Amino acid sequence: MAHILVIDDEAAIRRFLRISLVAEGHQVSEAVGVNEGLAQYRHLNPDLVILDLGLPGSDGLTLAAQLRE
């Protein structure tokens, strides 16, 4: 079982991913934006991040670079 962090500003996408991933036995956490996503990542240390590249306020590529640091 992996712990997966979904970072996306669209509730319907987060809901779809949560339902699908939980059905496969994974633990899922969610974040809505860049700041929340970065904070959740640092706090939870997930095994995998599913990241929307079109987040408001900053793009997902910038956040991906921050997550790699």
Side-chain angles (χ1 to χ4, degrees):
M1 173 168 87
H3 183 191
I4 301 170
L5 174 59
V6 177
I7 305 173
D8 198 303
D9 60 319
E10 294 187 39
I13 292 173
R14 289 192 319 273
R15 184 174 46 252
F16 169 76
L17 289 171
R18 173 181 284 285
I19 291 168
S20 300
L21 293 168
V22 168
E24 293 296 322
H26 301 291
Q27 179 183 357
V28 178
S29 296
E30 300 176 21
V32 176
V34 172
N35 293 333
E36 183 182 354
L38 189 56
Q40 290 278 5
Y41 179 81
R42 289 179 176 157
H43 176 71
L44 300 171
N45 193 28
D47 300 304
L48 177 72
V49 175
I50 298 176
L51 174 61
D52 178 9
L53 295 180
L55 293 169
S58 179
D59 66 46
L61 294 176
T62 302
L63 178 56
Q66 291 175 321
L67 296 177
R68 290 182 184 151
E69 293 177 355

